[in-house]
Amino acid sequence: MQADIGLVGLGVMGGNLALNMAEKGFTVAVHSLDWPAVTAFVAGAGELAPRILPAKTMKEFADLIRPPRPVILLVPAAAVDAVMKSLSEVLARGDAVIDAGNSDFHETERRQRDMVDDGIMVLGVGVSGGHEGARHGPSIMAGGPVQAYRMAEPVLTAIAAKYEGEACCAWLGPGGAGHFVKTIHNGIEYADIQMIAEIYGLMRDGLGMSAAEMAQVFAEWNRGRLNSYLIEITAQVLETVDDATHKSLVDLIVDRAEQKGTGRWAVIEAQRLGVSAETLEAAVGARVLSSLSQQRATAEKLYDLPRHPLALDRAAAIPKLEQALFAGKIMAYAQGFAVMAHASEQNVWNLPLATIASIWRAGCIIRSQFLDTITETFRAEEGMLNLLLAPRFVTMMKDNHQGLREVVSHAALAGLPVPALSAALASFDGYHQARGSANLIQGLRDFFGSHSFERIDKVGPQHGMW
Ligand code: 6PG
C-alpha cells in the first residue's frame, strides 16, 4: 500500500494531524527521529493504525509515499532546516514539502529559494487551533507555489475545520503569504488575550470579584456579540478549582506570560511596513513586562502607591467592560487586517482578506462570531485598507467607544494597568482626528535638522525662519 501523504514529526500537533488525516480516509506515512515513539504512536492509533505507515528512515519514508509526494513537516522551528535537508536527499522533482509549523515567513521564502534547484516545492502553511484543532479540524492558511497546494488540497480541506459546511482552509498567496497570515493571526491572538486579561484584572482588583463570579460574566458575554473561543475558555479557566487546595486555579498561577515569539514577529512586520498596530504592540509589551516579576515586586515596595477600586459599582461597570472589550477587539482586528492589507500590496501577494477572515471563523484560536462580521464586510468591500472606514464598523465604534473611554479613564485613576485597551483608545482617537499634532513634530524636525515640512497653504517642501 502506498501513502497519499507523508508527515514528519510526531509531537502532539503532528500526531494529532496524522490521526485526523487517517480518520478522513487518507493513508499517511509517518517518520520521526525517535523510532520507538513512531512505533508507539502507530500502536496507539487503534482502528486508524492500518492507514498509518511507519518509516524508520527518510528513504523508507519517501518510498512509502505515492509520487508526486506531499510531505507535511511538523517539527520545532529550529529543526526545520535540518529536516528539509534530509528530505531533499530522498524526495524527487515535483514533490512538495509542507511546513505546517510556526515558521517566520522570511525563512519560508528563503527555503523556497533553497529548494528550487532540486525542483522541490515548499509550501508555508499556518495551522491554528492547538492540539484539539489538529485532531478535529484546524484552520489552515497556505502560501507558496499553487501547484504544491493543489497536490495537498484534498487532504488539507478534508482535515480542516468547517464553518457552515465551508472548509477553513485556503491558498492565500505565493511565497511566505501563508506563514505571514498565521503570524498576524498570532499577533491578533496576543491582543485579544491581553485585553481579556486586562478586563479580568479590572474585575479582580477594581471590582473585587472572585474568579467564580467572573466566570459567570464571561460565560454570559459568550452568549452575546463577544461569542468566541477565547471568551468561552476564559470562563472555563476562571471556574476551575484546584483539586488539592480547593482554591480557584487561576489564583494559583504565576503572573508571568511566556511567548514563543510569533506575536512579536507580527509587531516587527507591522513596524517594517510602517503600519501602526498599537494594540498588538501593547500586548507584546505587556507580556514582556509581566516577565519582570522580580523588578515588579521591588518597584511595588519602592513606590508604595495606592490602588483604588474602580469608581463604579459592579452593576454599572460590567456593561461598560463588555463595551470596552468589544471596542478594543474592533481596534485589534482593524490593525491586524491593515497590516495584512499593506503587506499584500508591498509583496504583491494579493491577499484575499475576506477569505482570511472566513477561514478564521472556525478551528483557530481567535475563532469568533465577530469574524463573520469581518468576512461580510470584506466581501462587500474588497480592497478596503482599514476596517474602521467601513460603515458597519463606524456604527460599531460610535456605539462602543464611550465604554472603552470610561473604562480606560477609570482604570487610569484607580492605578490599574490596561495597556492594550489604552492603546486601542488612543489609536482610535488619533485615527478619527483630521488635524492632529504632528505639525509641531515637523516644525521641530525642520528646526534641528532642516528636514523641511509641507504647508497647508503652499505647495512643495518648505523651511521655517527659525
Ligand atoms: C494557534 C496558536 C499557536 C501558538 C500558541 C502559543 O494558532 O494554534 O497561535 O500556534 O503556538 O498559541 O503561542 P505563544 O507561546 O507565543 O503564546
Side-chain angles (χ1 to χ4, degrees):
M1 188 179 4
Q2 281 214 297
D4 301 301
I5 193 158
L7 183 134
V8 181
L10 283 175
V12 189
M13 290 292 288
N16 279 352
L17 217 58
L19 296 175
N20 188 351
M21 291 190 280
E23 191 176 68
K24 300 298 176 314
F26 298 99
T27 303
V28 191
V30 294
H31 174 70
S32 126
L33 284 181
D34 184 354
W35 175 242
V38 177
T39 49
F41 173 75
V42 179
E47 58 178 14
L48 298 174
R51 284 199 288 279
I52 300 178
L53 315 181
K56 197 166 186 177
T57 65
M58 272 294 187
K59 177 80 180 77
E60 252 176 68
F61 174 71
D63 289 343
L64 280 174
I65 311 162
R66 189 181 319 108
R69 306 171 183 86
V71 174
I72 298 181
L73 226 65
L74 253 168
V75 298
V80 174
D81 279 318
V83 177
M84 281 212 183
K85 189 166 180 306
S86 348
L87 271 173
S88 68
E89 285 155 16
V90 294
L91 294 183
R93 297 192 89 76
D95 290 347
V97 177
I98 301 159
D99 176 10
N102 275 336
S103 290
D104 182 333
F105 85 97
H106 297 289
E107 294 282 283
T108 304
E109 296 194 333
R110 185 207 17 100
R111 288 171 186 140
Q112 288 168 338
R113 289 191 297 272
D114 287 353
M115 300 287 250
V116 163
D117 288 346
D118 294 326
I120 297 167
M121 296 178 281
V122 176
L123 204 63
V125 174
V127 176
S128 176
H131 52 92
E132 273 295 300
R135 179 66 185 86
H136 300 293
S139 169
I140 300 178
M141 299 146 245
V146 76
Q147 313 91 284
Y149 178 70
R150 296 288 170 240
M151 262 162 74
E153 190 175 13
V155 181
L156 298 180
T157 49
I159 62 169
K162 307 289 178 301
Y163 181 86
E164 293 178 355
E166 271 177 61
C168 290
C169 170
W171 178 83
L172 301 173
H179 276 145
F180 177 83
V181 170
K182 177 60 175 30
T183 297
I184 301 305
H185 167 284
N186 282 27
I188 296 174
E189 174 186 308
Y190 276 41
D192 236 339
I193 292 175
Q194 175 61 28
M195 289 184 198
I196 292 172
E198 290 174 14
I199 295 290
Y200 153 78
L202 294 180
M203 287 178 177
R204 186 189 66 186
D205 302 331
L207 297 173
M209 292 172 69
S210 69
E213 288 170 330
M214 291 185 257
Q216 280 179 14
V217 174
F218 279 100
E220 178 59 35
W221 288 355
N222 195 42
R223 287 189 278 276
R225 60 194 180 164
L226 282 173
N227 173 265
S228 60
Y229 172 68
L230 285 171
I231 295 287
E232 178 192 331
I233 65 169
T234 299
Q236 289 177 18
V237 168
L238 288 170
E239 76 187 10
T240 301
V241 172
D242 176 49
D243 285 342
T245 61
H246 305 292
K247 291 180 178 161
S248 291
L249 181 57
V250 71
D251 292 333
L252 302 171
I253 301 178
V254 173
D255 68 332
R256 266 198 313 264
E258 296 184 4
Q259 54 176 321
K260 295 198 196 74
T262 43
R264 188 168 48 214
W265 294 346
V267 168
I268 292 170
E269 292 311 322
Q271 289 286 351
R272 274 205 184 114
L273 291 160
V275 186
S276 51
E278 296 96 330
T279 52
L280 279 60
E281 286 166 19
V284 175
R287 284 202 191 188
V288 174
L289 185 61
S290 84
S291 70
L292 307 175
S293 42
Q294 291 273 339
Q295 288 182 47
R296 287 190 287 117
T298 308
E300 179 168 315
K301 289 202 193 85
L302 279 175
Y303 285 90
D304 191 27
L305 290 170
R307 277 178 219 283
H308 307 287
L310 294 183
L312 283 169
D313 67 55
R314 199 182 287 189
I318 301 291
K320 290 187 199 302
L321 292 173
E322 193 266 354
Q323 278 198 348
L325 193 49
F326 189 62
K329 191 177 172 85
I330 292 173
M331 292 304 297
Y333 282 71
Q335 290 170 355
F337 274 91
V339 176
M340 289 192 285
H342 280 81
S344 179
E345 227 174 67
Q346 188 145 324
N347 298 305
V348 205
W349 277 338
N350 208 10
L351 291 179
L353 299 181
T355 303
I356 293 169
S358 77
I359 64 170
W360 286 353
R361 289 177 300 179
C364 69
I365 302 294
I366 62 172
R367 60 188 182 259
S368 68
Q369 182 182 306
F370 181 55
L371 275 160
D372 203 32
T373 309
I374 298 181
T375 305
E376 284 170 15
T377 305
F378 277 121
R379 278 184 180 160
E381 298 182 54
E382 268 300 339
M384 199 167 41
L385 273 181
N386 196 314
L387 281 169
L388 291 178
L389 299 175
R392 194 159 173 187
F393 277 73
V394 173
T395 308
M396 288 192 297
M397 277 311 283
K398 277 187 171 174
D399 290 347
N400 293 285
H401 75 95
Q402 189 59 25
L404 177 61
R405 199 171 298 290
E406 288 181 39
V407 166
V408 169
S409 313
H410 280 289
L413 291 171
L416 300 171
V418 284
L421 292 170
S422 305
L425 178 63
S427 57
F428 172 64
D429 283 339
Y431 193 70
H432 69 86
Q433 184 182 37
R435 182 157 172 82
S437 54
N439 46 324
L440 180 62
I441 298 177
Q442 286 297 79
L444 297 175
R445 289 178 70 250
D446 188 60
F447 189 107
F448 63 67
S450 197
H451 294 294
S452 85
F453 52 79
E454 287 177 293
R455 278 178 65 127
I456 54 176
D457 55 354
K458 286 184 185 169
V459 179
Q462 310 286 328
H463 291 286
M465 45 306 184
W466 321 110

